[in-house]
Amino acid sequence: MNKKKFILFLCLLLVSIVLHILALIETFPLLLSIPILFFTVFIFLLSFNDQNRFKGF
């Protein structure tokens, strides 16, 4: 994974965590922040895990 992609996913993760914290103090809808946080973490881990996979001969 290149450095720009990692920084982008890290920023998205931080934004989604902040939105979730705002949802916990009831200034942002919780039903909206939970899927955003889940998909951000899922995409971050999926792309982080995919870099050194054997693709065949």
Side-chain angles (χ1 to χ4, degrees):
M1 180 183 338
N2 58 9
K3 203 168 212 166
K4 289 181 184 179
K5 193 175 181 183
F6 180 73
I7 291 173
L8 175 70
F9 282 132
L10 195 61
C11 289
L12 287 174
L13 184 63
L14 289 174
V15 167
S16 64
I17 289 172
V18 168
L19 283 177
H20 191 68
I21 290 173
L22 288 175
L24 290 176
I25 60 173
E26 297 178 356
T27 58
F28 190 77
L30 189 63
L31 290 175
L32 202 65
S33 72
I34 291 173
I36 291 172
L37 181 64
F38 174 75
F39 286 120
T40 306
V41 169
F42 179 71
I43 291 172
F44 178 74
L45 292 176
L46 187 68
S47 66
F48 187 71
N49 192 25
D50 196 38
Q51 67 183 0
N52 289 328
R53 187 172 292 182
F54 179 69
K55 297 186 184 185
F57 293 108

